[in-house]
C-alpha cells in the first residue's frame, strides 16, 4: 500500500493486528488467537511495518475511519471518523501513534457505546487503505458500557464460563441438567452475529438495525425473538407434543453449539426441537458470546396467564383435566441479562428477565423482555417490556373450580403461593443452586407484598390456607421411587369437623410432561367408600407398578398423583395432587485426566429394570475435552488444562436421559 503524507511517499509493507496480545487484554483469547476480537471502550494496538526509508510523520492529516454494517453512516453511529491525538479518549473513537524507524505502533479505542459487529479499520488520506478487520463486542469490564459488571467473579461466571447447570423438576425434587454453552468454540461467534443479520429488523432496515446494536436492550429483544422460529428465521422450533420423529427430542440436547451449527449449516432453517430450557440455554450462549452477562433462571409453578388479569382461573372436570386456557407449568426456564436501563427511571438497572420460549406476543412479535426484575418485584406493570406477563408467571393467584358433566360448577379453593416458587439459578463459581425468589417477589404475606399487589391492581388475593375446619386430603409418598420398582403412594384424610363424615375417595396416577401436559393413566384406584369419625384420619393406598407406568411415562419420568375426596352428604369436593419424578440409576466414572494423554473413563450403570436393556449407548461431551461426541468406546484426549465439566448421558430402548456430570481437573 502507498500513501502520501506531507508530500512524502509512505509504504506499508505489512500490518500486524497483534491478535494474541489484544485478545488476551480483551478477554477474547478463548475465541481465537488468529482474529482480532475486541470489546468496546478498551484500547487495542496494531503494528504497521513500513518499508525501509519511509517515515510516518504525526500530524493532523492522519485520519482513520472505523465502520460497520452494509450502509455505514456517521449519523447512525455505524461510521466513525477520527484523527491521531495525544491521548486516548474514553468517550469517543480515538487513536494515538508511537513511531520508530520502520514501525508505527497504532493504538485505537472505540466509543464505549459503539454498535457491536464486524468492523473495517481504514487509514484515510484522500485514498483509503484498509488496515484490517475486527469484531467489536459489548464490554462488561468497561464502566462506561451499559453492560458493566463490577465483580470479577460474576464476569467469570456470566460472561466467560462455557458451561453451567440448568434446574428442572419440581420444588421438592429439583433436578440438575449440566449444559455446555460453548460460546468461545470455533465458529460460534460468527453464527451469533449471523442470527442478528437474519432478523426481520435487519432485513427490513439494515442501517437502522446496525445502529441500534449499540444498545444491549435492543440486542436482547432481537435475540428473544430470534432464538425461537415463530414469525422469523429463528434458531429453534418448539414442540410439546411428545412426537419428535422428524427431529431431535428436546431432552437429547446437552449443548448449544450443535444446535447453532446445525441452524447455520442448514441455511438458517430452524432446528427441531426445543423446549423452554433449550431456548434459554441457546439464548445464554449467544448473549455471552456477544458480551452481555447472562444467566439461566428456572421458575417453579410458572403461570401462563391467558387474559392478563393476574388471576389463574382453572376449571377442571372430574378427571383433573384443565378445561381452561390458563395453565401452570411444573417449571419454566428463561434468562436474565445484566445491563442499565436508561429508558426507565433510576433503580431498574441490573438483571433483566428475557424469555425466548414462544408463548407470548410482544408488539406483534413472539418475544418477551427485557423486563427489569425489580419492576416485577415492585409491580411496575407499565414498564417496558412485558412486565405483566412475567409478573403473572411468578405472582398470579390461583382460583380453582370443578365443572361436572351436568354443567354445575363448584369452587374448590385456590392458592396465593402455588405460583412462583424456588426461582433458581447456578451460583457464582460453584456447582450449587442459588435461590433468587426474593429478587422477584417480597415474602408471601409481608407488608411489602401487600403494597405491591395493590399497585398491581391485584385485589383477588385469597387467604392463605392453613389447618382449617372441614375435610382435608393430602398425598404422601415414600423416598424410594426408582424407575423399575413397584411402590406405594398414599392419600391421607382428616376430618376436622364435629360429626362423623361419610366420604368417597378416588385416587389415581397419570403420566405428565414438565409443561403440565397429561399422558395416560398408570395407576387407578376405584372409588373407596369410608366413614371418618370426628377429628380422625384415614389412608387410601395406591400401588404403582412398573409394568403399568413404564408404558405411560415420557422421557421426563414424571407422574402426577390426584386424590379426590367427596363429602357424601354435602357433595363438597376436596382435592390433593402431587407430581413425582422417578429416580435415575447412578452412573459411576473413573479415570485420571491429563492434557494430550488418552483418558479411558470406566462408566458403570446398574440396570434397575426387571427386564434386559437393549441398544445401550453412553454419550460423553465436554468443552475442550472431546472434538465430537464419543460413543460406546469412551476414550478421549483432553486438549486444554483447567477445570472442565464432562457430561455423560445413557440411553437405551427402555431407559432414556440418564444423565450425570463430573468436574475434571485437567493437569498439564
Amino acid at each position: 500500500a502507498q500513501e502520501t503524507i506531507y508530500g512524502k511517499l509512505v509504504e506499508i509493507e505489512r500490518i500486524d493486528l497483534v491478535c494474541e496480545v489484544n485478545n488476551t487484554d480483551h478477554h477474547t483469547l478463548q475465541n481465537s488467537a488468529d482474529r482480532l476480537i475486541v470489546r468496546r471502550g478498551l484500547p487495542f494496538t496494531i503494528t504497521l511495518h513500513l518499508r525501509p526509508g519511509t517515515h510516518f510523520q504525526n500530524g493532523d492529516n492522519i485520519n482513520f475511519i472505523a465502520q460497520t454494517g452494509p450502509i455505514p453512516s456517521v449519523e447512525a453511529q455505524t461510521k466513525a471518523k477520527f484523527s491521531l491525538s495525544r491521548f486516548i479518549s474514553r468517550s469517543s473513537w480515538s487513536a494515538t501513534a508511537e513511531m520508530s524507524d520502520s514501525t508505527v505502533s497504532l493504538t485505537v479505542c472505540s466509543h464505549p457505546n459503539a454498535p457491536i459487529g464486524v468492523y473495517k479499520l481504514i487509514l484515510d488520506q484522500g485514498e483509503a487503505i484498509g488496515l484490517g478487520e475486527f469484531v467489536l463486542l459489548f464490554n462488561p469490564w468497561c464502566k462506561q458500557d451499559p453492560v458493566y459488571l463490577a465483580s470479577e467473579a460474576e464476569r467469570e461466571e456470566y460472561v466467560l464460563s462455557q458451561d453451567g447447570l440448568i434446574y428442572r423438576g419440581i420444588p421438592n425434587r429439583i433436578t440438575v441438567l449440566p449444559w455446555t454453552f460453548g460460546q468461545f468454540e470455533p465458529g460460534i461467534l460468527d453464527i451469533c452475529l449471523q442470527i442478528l443479520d437474519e432478523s426481520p429488523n435487519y432485513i427490513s432496515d439494515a442501517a437502522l438495525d446496525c445502529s441500534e446494536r449499540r444498545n444491549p436492550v435492543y440486542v436482547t429483544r432481537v435475540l428473544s425473538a430470534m432464538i425461537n422460529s415463530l414469525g422469523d428465521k429463528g434458531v429453534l422450533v418448539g414442540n410439546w407434543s411428545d412426537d419428535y420423529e422428524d427431529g431431535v427430542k428436546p431432552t437429547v440436547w446437552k449443548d448449544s453449539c450443535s444446535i447453532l451449527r446445525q441452524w447455520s449449516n442448514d441455511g438458517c432453517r430452524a432446528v427441531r426441537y426445543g423446549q423452554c430450557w433449550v431456548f434459554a440455554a441457546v439464548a445464554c450462549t449467544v448473549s455471552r458470546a456477544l458480551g452481555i452477562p447472562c444467566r439461566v433462571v428456572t421458575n417453579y409453578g410458572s403461570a401462563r396467564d391467558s387474559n392478563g388479569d393476574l388471576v389463574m382461573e382453572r376449571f377442571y372436570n372430574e378427571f383433573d383435566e384443565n378445561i381452561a386456557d390458563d395453565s401452570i407449568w411444573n417449571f419454566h426456564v428463561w434468562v436474565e441479562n445484566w445491563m442499565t436501563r436508561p429508558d426507565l427511571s433510576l433503580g431498574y438497572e441490573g438483571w433483566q428477565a428475557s424469555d425466548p420460549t414462544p408463548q407470548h406476543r410482544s408488539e406483534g412479535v413472539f418475544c418477551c423482555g427485557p423486563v427489569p426484575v425489580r419492576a416485577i418485584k415492585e409491580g411496575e406493570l407499565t414498564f417496558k417490556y412485558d412486565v405483566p406477563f412475567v409478573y403473572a408467571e411468578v405472582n398470579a393467584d390461583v382460583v380453582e373450580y370443578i365443572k361436572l358433566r351436568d354443567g354445575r360448577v363448584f369452587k374448590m379453593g385456590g392458592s396465593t403461593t402455588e405460583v412462583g416458587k424456588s426461582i433458581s439459578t447456578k451460583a457464582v463459581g460453584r456447582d450449587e443452586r442459588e435461590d433468587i425468589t426474593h429478587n422477584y417477589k417480597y415474602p408471601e404475606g409481608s407488608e411489602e407484598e401487600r403494597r405491591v399487589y395493590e399497585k398491581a391492581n391485584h385485589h383477588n388475593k385469597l387467604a392463605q390456607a392453613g389447618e382449617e375446619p372441614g375435610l382435608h386430603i393430602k398425598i404422601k409418598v415414600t423416598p424410594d421411587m426408582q424407575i423399575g420398582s413397584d411402590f406405594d403412594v398414599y392419600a391421607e384424610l382428616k376430618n376436622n369437623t364435629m360429626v362423623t363424615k361419610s366420604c368417597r375417595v378416588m385416587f389415581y396416577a397419570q403420566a405428565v410432561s414438565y409443561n403440565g401436559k397429561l399422558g395416560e393413566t398408570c395407576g387407578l384406584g376405584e372409588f373407596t367408600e369410608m366413614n371418618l369419625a370426628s377429628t380422625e384420619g384415614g389412608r387410601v393406598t395406591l400401588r404403582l407398578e412398573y409394568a403399568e407406568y413404564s408404558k405411560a411415562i415420557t422421557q421426563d419420568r414424571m407422574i402426577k398423583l390426584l386424590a379426590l375426596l367427596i363429602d357424601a352428604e354435602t357433595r363438597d369436593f376436596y382435592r390433593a395432587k402431587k407430581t413425582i419424578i422417578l429416580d435415575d440409576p447412578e452412573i459411576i466414572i473413573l479415570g485420571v485426566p491429563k492434557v494430550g494423554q488418552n483418558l479411558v473413563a470406566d462408566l458403570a450403570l446398574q440396570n434397575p429394570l426387571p427386564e434386559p436393556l437393549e441398544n445401550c449407548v453412553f454419550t460423553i461431551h465436554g468443552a475442550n475435552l472431546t472434538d465430537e461426541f464419543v460413543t460406546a468406546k469412551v476414550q478421549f484426549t483432553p486438549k486444554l488444562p483447567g477445570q472442565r465439566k464432562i457430561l455423560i448421558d445413557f440411553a437405551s430402548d427402555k431407559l432414556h436421559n440418564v444423565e450425570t456430570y463430573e468436574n475434571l481437573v485437567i493437569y498439564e
Side-chain angles (χ1 to χ4, degrees):
Q2 294 186 338
E3 189 53 58
T4 304
I5 296 178
Y6 289 163
K8 294 182 180 177
L9 195 68
V10 168
E11 295 181 345
I12 299 174
E13 191 172 67
R14 184 166 57 84
I15 298 163
D16 184 358
L17 298 180
V18 204
C19 297
E20 190 162 345
V21 172
N22 286 319
N23 291 4
T24 300
D25 291 344
H26 286 250
H27 308 278
T28 60
L29 188 62
Q30 289 187 79
N31 274 305
S32 170
D34 306 322
R35 180 184 186 191
L36 186 56
I37 302 168
V38 297
R39 299 186 187 273
R40 311 195 296 186
L42 187 65
F44 61 92
T45 300
I46 65 176
T47 305
L48 310 181
H49 293 270
L50 308 181
R51 291 225 172 127
T54 306
H55 295 285
F56 190 97
Q57 289 179 282
N58 203 340
D60 292 338
N61 62 337
I62 309 258
N63 297 306
F64 300 95
I65 295 171
Q67 62 186 40
T68 185
I71 314 160
S73 98
V74 173
E75 295 72 35
Q77 299 180 37
T78 48
K79 182 178 187 178
K81 294 182 175 180
F82 51 102
S83 54
L84 283 176
S85 51
R86 290 181 63 193
F87 303 104
I88 286 292
S89 165
R90 293 301 172 103
S91 58
S92 63
W93 284 86
S94 58
T96 62
E98 286 185 22
M99 282 148 289
S100 68
D101 286 345
S102 60
T103 61
V104 178
S105 185
L106 189 66
T107 298
V108 177
C109 189
S110 66
H111 191 294
N113 264 317
I116 64 160
V118 179
Y119 275 78
K120 292 190 173 85
L121 183 62
I122 297 161
L123 176 65
D124 177 33
Q125 286 220 282
E127 181 187 337
I129 298 174
L131 297 182
E133 198 175 81
F134 61 92
V135 180
L136 188 67
L137 303 176
F138 291 108
N139 190 358
W141 285 263
C142 172
K143 286 182 180 176
Q144 288 78 33
D145 194 309
V147 302
Y148 172 68
L149 191 55
S151 158
E152 180 59 30
E154 289 183 359
R155 293 191 294 243
E156 284 282 338
E157 182 70 51
Y158 300 136
V159 184
L160 300 181
S161 178
Q162 291 202 80
D163 53 50
L165 303 176
I166 298 172
Y167 296 96
R168 298 184 296 177
I170 51 180
N172 58 1
R173 181 73 170 74
I174 290 173
T175 61
V176 181
L177 172 69
W179 192 274
T180 303
F181 297 115
Q183 67 269 30
F184 298 117
E185 297 235 335
I188 295 302
L189 177 56
D190 285 323
I191 296 171
C192 296
L193 294 168
Q194 183 184 6
I195 289 170
L196 299 180
D197 288 350
E198 292 294 338
S199 80
N201 299 32
Y202 180 87
I203 290 161
S204 64
D205 190 341
L208 178 62
D209 176 70
C210 288
S211 174
E212 291 282 9
R213 291 182 191 180
R214 64 186 183 276
N215 181 358
V217 175
Y218 175 85
V219 172
T220 297
R221 195 154 169 77
V222 170
L223 294 182
S224 171
M226 284 298 294
I227 300 303
N228 72 73
S229 64
L230 279 180
D232 51 43
K233 293 172 74 175
V235 176
L236 273 162
V237 181
N239 185 343
W240 290 265
S241 73
D242 285 333
D243 177 10
Y244 310 112
E245 279 192 15
D246 57 343
V248 174
K249 243 187 232 181
T251 49
V252 168
W253 302 114
K254 299 295 181 291
D255 74 304
S256 303
C257 296
S258 49
I259 295 169
L260 290 167
R261 288 192 178 113
Q262 183 178 324
W263 174 80
S264 180
N265 294 339
D266 215 5
C268 306
R269 196 172 69 181
V271 176
R272 299 169 185 268
Y273 288 102
Q275 289 178 0
C276 64
W277 69 90
V278 188
F279 288 111
V282 173
C284 183
T285 294
V286 181
S287 298
R288 289 182 184 181
L290 298 178
I292 303 173
C294 188
R295 64 188 186 184
V296 177
V297 171
T298 303
N299 177 38
Y300 292 93
S302 193
R304 187 160 183 262
D305 184 13
S306 59
N307 63 2
D309 65 357
L310 308 183
V311 176
M312 304 295 292
E313 290 189 310
R314 296 200 288 185
F315 290 83
Y316 296 90
N317 59 22
E318 294 99 319
F319 289 97
D320 202 47
E321 290 169 332
N322 188 356
I323 50 178
D325 292 331
D326 289 346
S327 61
I328 296 180
W329 292 21
N330 284 318
F331 67 86
H332 183 50
V333 185
W334 58 74
V335 293
E336 290 176 359
N337 299 95
W338 179 273
M339 65 194 72
T340 59
R341 288 301 298 265
D343 56 325
L344 302 176
S345 51
L346 269 177
Y348 291 90
E349 61 281 346
W351 289 115
Q352 314 286 317
S354 174
D355 190 352
T357 297
Q359 57 174 349
H360 171 69
R361 276 191 188 272
S362 175
E363 298 180 343
V365 177
F366 277 102
C367 68
C368 181
V371 182
V373 172
R374 189 179 161 219
I376 298 163
K377 184 171 183 174
E378 298 296 342
E380 293 286 1
L381 301 195
T382 59
F383 281 15
K384 289 183 174 180
Y385 291 89
D386 311 305
V387 179
F389 185 78
V390 183
Y391 180 91
E393 287 187 303
V394 301
N395 252 330
D397 282 353
V398 180
V399 185
E400 296 184 332
Y401 305 88
I402 190 162
K403 188 173 185 178
L404 303 182
R405 285 175 213 175
D406 61 11
R408 287 185 299 157
V409 174
F410 295 91
K411 187 172 175 181
M412 289 193 298
S415 169
T416 62
T417 59
E418 181 179 346
V419 168
K421 291 179 174 177
S422 304
I423 303 174
S424 303
T425 191
K426 180 187 175 297
V428 174
R430 59 190 200 282
D431 288 342
E432 290 175 25
R433 184 180 74 87
E434 182 183 352
D435 193 304
I436 55 171
T437 310
H438 61 278
N439 291 352
Y440 282 84
K441 56 206 289 193
Y442 287 102
E444 296 290 351
S446 66
E447 282 183 31
E448 295 97 330
E449 186 206 24
R450 302 289 90 200
R451 175 178 59 78
V452 167
Y453 272 29
E454 284 165 21
K455 187 192 292 183
N457 195 25
H458 194 11
H459 302 301
N460 300 320
K461 187 113 174 126
L462 304 168
Q464 187 170 334
E467 181 85 347
E468 294 181 70
L471 288 170
H472 296 279
I473 183 166
K474 60 183 175 183
I475 294 171
K476 292 281 190 182
V477 298
T478 57
D480 183 23
M481 296 185 294
Q482 187 174 66
I483 189 164
S485 64
D486 299 345
F487 56 91
D488 291 332
V489 291
Y490 309 97
E492 296 196 337
L493 318 173
K494 185 79 181 289
N495 175 12
N496 280 354
T497 71
M498 301 299 289
V499 295
T500 297
K501 286 285 187 182
S502 175
C503 306
R504 299 177 75 203
V505 182
M506 187 180 184
F507 191 18
Y508 70 92
Q510 255 180 301
V512 64
S513 298
Y514 86 93
N515 63 357
K517 184 181 175 187
L518 292 170
E520 293 177 33
T521 301
C522 55
L524 183 60
E526 295 303 318
F527 270 105
T528 304
E529 308 273 355
M530 54 197 313
N531 289 320
L532 288 176
S534 174
T535 68
E536 282 193 2
R539 172 182 270 197
V540 176
T541 302
L542 179 64
R543 184 79 170 163
L544 292 183
E545 297 178 348
Y546 172 73
E548 287 298 313
Y549 69 69
S550 63
K551 294 181 284 193
I553 58 172
T554 69
Q555 70 266 16
D556 296 325
R557 287 191 290 279
M558 290 182 179
I559 296 174
K560 182 175 181 178
L561 307 173
L562 178 83
L564 204 59
L565 170 64
I566 304 166
D567 184 328
E569 184 184 353
T570 65
R571 300 288 297 160
D572 286 336
F573 285 80
Y574 306 89
R575 185 184 58 168
K577 60 184 180 177
K578 187 182 281 284
T579 300
I580 60 174
I581 298 183
L582 302 180
D583 290 323
D584 292 337
E586 190 180 0
I587 301 174
I588 300 161
I589 312 165
L590 306 163
V592 179
K594 287 193 176 181
V595 171
Q597 292 185 14
N598 282 355
L599 169 64
V600 178
D602 292 323
L603 307 180
L605 178 138
Q606 176 94 35
N607 177 14
L609 306 187
E611 53 188 334
L613 298 177
E614 295 176 0
N615 303 326
C616 298
V617 177
F618 281 106
T619 308
I620 188 166
H621 181 62
N624 296 314
L625 292 174
T626 59
D627 286 322
E628 288 298 330
F629 286 88
V630 182
T631 305
K633 186 182 178 187
V634 187
Q635 177 176 323
F636 55 92
T637 308
K639 296 183 288 186
L640 291 174
Q643 182 166 306
R644 294 283 183 272
K645 276 188 181 57
I646 187 168
L647 318 181
I648 291 149
D649 185 51
F650 175 83
S652 69
D653 60 335
K654 299 181 189 72
L655 200 56
H656 307 278
N657 307 314
V658 181
E659 299 151 351
T660 191
Y661 71 99
E662 191 83 46
N663 285 319
L664 295 185
V665 179
I666 313 298
Y667 297 101
E668 287 279 16

